[in-house]
Amino acid sequence: MKFTAFLKTRGATAAIFMGIFYAVAMLGIFLPGYTAIPGNVDKLPIAIINDDAGKNGAMIAENLQENLPFKEIETDITNKQALKDLKHNDLALVVHIPKTFSENIQKGEASSSIDFTINEAGATVVSSTMNSVVTEINSQLSTQFSQQTAQGVLMNFNVPEKQAAELAEKIEKSYVGNVVTINEIPDGMNHNMLPMFLTMAGYVGAMIGAMQLVGAFRASRGKASKTRLFTYVQMAALLIAVVSSIIAVGVAYLIDKPSGDLFFGIVGQQILNYMVCFNFTAILIFLFGEGGMILNLPILLMQTIANGATITRDMMHAPYEWMSHISPMYYSVQAYFANLFGSISPSPYIWSMAAVGAVAMLINMAIVAFLHKPMPVQVSETEVEKKAAEITA
């Protein structure tokens, strides 16, 4: 057999196709998706709340609105509501200028600060970007107010204005930006990526499981009704979901050591994650057989960006943002962030993920019912002999 003939075999041609297809799909999906960083940072929503009774607060709020690189800046909102929205990741940053800010600045008190609140339990790009932005803001405000504050203090002691301006350069800066971090994540990238890795483990396992179990479904046609076989497929998937989820969460606990109180909740979510992803990926396999697996690959790659672990919906390009609304990975990742590190209930994300799974299962049931032709159930020789013996008896 010549090499050219070998290359024409089914296995070789499939390998060549997959090598090219996977390279094109991965680069064609990942590279455009990540152009949103930092290009779409300006789409992140923030809030600036000015409660200052003096002039300084209004001046700062106005300057921040004009100079910060964000298109969506909320100002007509209370600090309490803004912090609530921040916990739900509906805002990326909350800037709060307290009521006594101007008064403290004039007195030169060290308590003259602005609160910058960031939520770490969300997309990694958001928290890192907001930290950089806050650092730059504080640097500029510190320089701006140090001379103004010191000059005002010296003028109160009847020091001439010119001399006060010169002495102000030597006075310690009184403004200190107060950076508040809520829902802090422990140090280590392994903690930041745990929601995505748990989700990916379930998704990839479910996708491969869907290929194998739907293949078993097709191979078993004629041995039982298609309704019974579909039930068997779901039961087998549930069994795999339970076993694999306990093992996956166990590995996560060995390495990341989350709170023990969360164990059963995480295991339950991982089981749900597997079943939802199983039915989600099984749709194309029920429709196209093994060819459906090829189509599932770019959908998987797209969801690694659309799941919200790295960038938020606000930053995503339109196709990825659309995918996030039907993606089981998005809801799973957000639920894990809320459960592991957040201060909000993961229930809305859990219910959304369950809804995606329910719709996917209904679609699979419809495919099996209407597109898979019924086949007569073959009776095995053993069953024939058993029935004959019963009749004879």
Side-chain angles (χ1 to χ4, degrees):
M1 183 180 190
K2 294 183 179 180
F3 180 63
T4 53
F6 177 79
L7 289 177
K8 294 178 182 179
T9 61
R10 182 179 179 182
T13 53
I16 294 170
F17 172 79
M18 287 304 297
I20 297 172
F21 176 80
Y22 192 76
V24 172
M26 187 170 185
L27 295 175
I29 291 172
F30 277 12
L31 294 181
Y34 281 113
T35 59
I37 309 170
N40 288 353
V41 167
D42 60 344
K43 293 183 179 180
L44 292 173
I46 71 168
I48 300 175
I49 301 97
N50 176 31
D51 290 331
D52 183 23
K55 297 181 179 179
N56 287 311
M59 179 188 68
I60 292 173
E62 184 179 351
N63 287 339
L64 289 177
Q65 290 181 62
E66 292 177 356
N67 297 317
L68 285 179
F70 302 109
K71 295 179 181 178
E72 187 177 342
I73 301 178
E74 292 191 42
T75 56
D76 189 18
I77 187 174
T78 64
N79 189 50
K80 183 178 180 180
Q81 181 60 46
L83 292 176
K84 182 179 179 181
D85 291 345
L86 182 69
K87 290 180 181 179
H88 288 82
N89 286 314
D90 294 328
L91 290 172
L93 172 67
V94 174
V95 182
H96 178 230
I97 306 172
K99 185 176 181 179
T100 58
F101 179 75
S102 290
E103 181 182 346
N104 292 338
I105 284 289
Q106 292 299 323
K107 293 179 180 178
E109 296 183 2
S111 59
S112 55
S113 63
I114 297 174
D115 295 329
F116 299 89
T117 309
I118 302 167
N119 184 9
E120 282 196 356
T124 54
V125 168
V126 174
S127 58
S128 61
T129 300
M130 290 304 121
N131 271 303
S132 298
V133 169
V134 169
T135 300
E136 180 63 25
I137 293 173
N138 278 329
S139 176
Q140 293 181 9
L141 290 177
S142 181
T143 302
Q144 177 181 347
F145 281 103
S146 61
Q147 186 171 355
Q148 177 182 330
T149 302
Q151 191 169 331
V153 171
L154 292 172
M155 287 293 290
N156 290 335
F157 287 98
N158 298 318
V159 179
E161 183 177 354
K162 184 177 180 180
Q163 187 179 354
E166 293 174 354
L167 291 174
E169 301 286 343
K170 301 177 183 180
I171 294 180
E172 184 178 357
K173 299 176 181 179
S174 63
Y175 169 81
V176 178
N178 184 30
V179 181
V180 181
T181 302
I182 62 172
N183 303 327
E184 289 191 35
I185 297 177
D187 292 335
M189 199 67 179
N190 55 307
H191 296 289
N192 291 80
M193 300 306 293
L194 181 58
M196 179 175 175
F197 288 161
L198 276 171
T199 300
M200 286 283 289
Y203 191 102
V204 174
M207 183 174 68
I208 296 172
M211 181 181 68
Q212 299 295 336
L213 290 177
V214 173
F217 170 89
R218 291 175 177 274
S220 300
R221 294 294 305 279
K223 298 179 181 178
S225 67
K226 60 182 182 180
T227 301
R228 175 172 290 189
L229 289 175
F230 183 81
T231 304
Y232 288 167
V233 166
Q234 296 295 327
M235 290 173 61
L238 180 59
L239 177 62
I240 297 168
V242 172
V243 175
S244 64
S245 296
I246 293 173
I247 294 173
V249 175
V251 172
Y253 266 79
L254 285 173
I255 299 171
D256 279 24
K257 300 178 177 61
S259 170
D261 297 338
L262 301 174
F263 181 82
F264 291 106
I266 297 174
V267 169
Q269 181 183 328
Q270 190 70 0
I271 293 171
L272 176 63
N273 175 44
Y274 185 99
M275 291 303 298
V276 171
C277 294
F278 175 84
N279 280 284
F280 185 81
T281 56
I283 294 173
L284 292 175
I285 301 175
F286 271 121
L287 280 173
F288 305 113
E290 292 183 0
M293 193 67 175
I294 299 174
L295 298 175
N296 270 326
L297 284 174
I299 294 175
L300 166 63
L301 296 175
M302 198 167 185
Q303 287 182 83
T304 58
I305 295 175
N307 63 35
T310 306
I311 58 178
T312 65
R313 274 179 176 167
D314 301 294
M315 294 178 65
M316 295 176 192
H317 295 306
Y320 303 89
E321 193 265 334
W322 296 334
M323 173 60 75
S324 72
H325 290 283
I326 62 169
S327 163
M329 284 182 67
Y330 176 84
Y331 298 113
S332 178
V333 167
Q334 301 311 310
Y336 274 132
F337 269 125
N339 203 6
L340 288 166
F341 310 115
S343 53
I344 60 172
S345 171
S347 297
Y349 302 113
I350 295 291
W351 283 111
S352 296
M353 181 166 56
V356 172
V359 171
M361 182 180 284
L362 288 174
I363 293 173
N364 286 327
M365 292 171 66
I367 293 170
V368 170
F370 300 110
L371 299 183
H372 287 244
K373 295 180 179 180
M375 294 178 63
V377 178
Q378 300 174 0
V379 182
S380 65
E381 293 181 5
T382 304
E383 291 177 339
V384 171
E385 293 174 357
K386 185 178 179 181
K387 288 182 180 180
E390 289 176 353
I391 294 172
T392 305

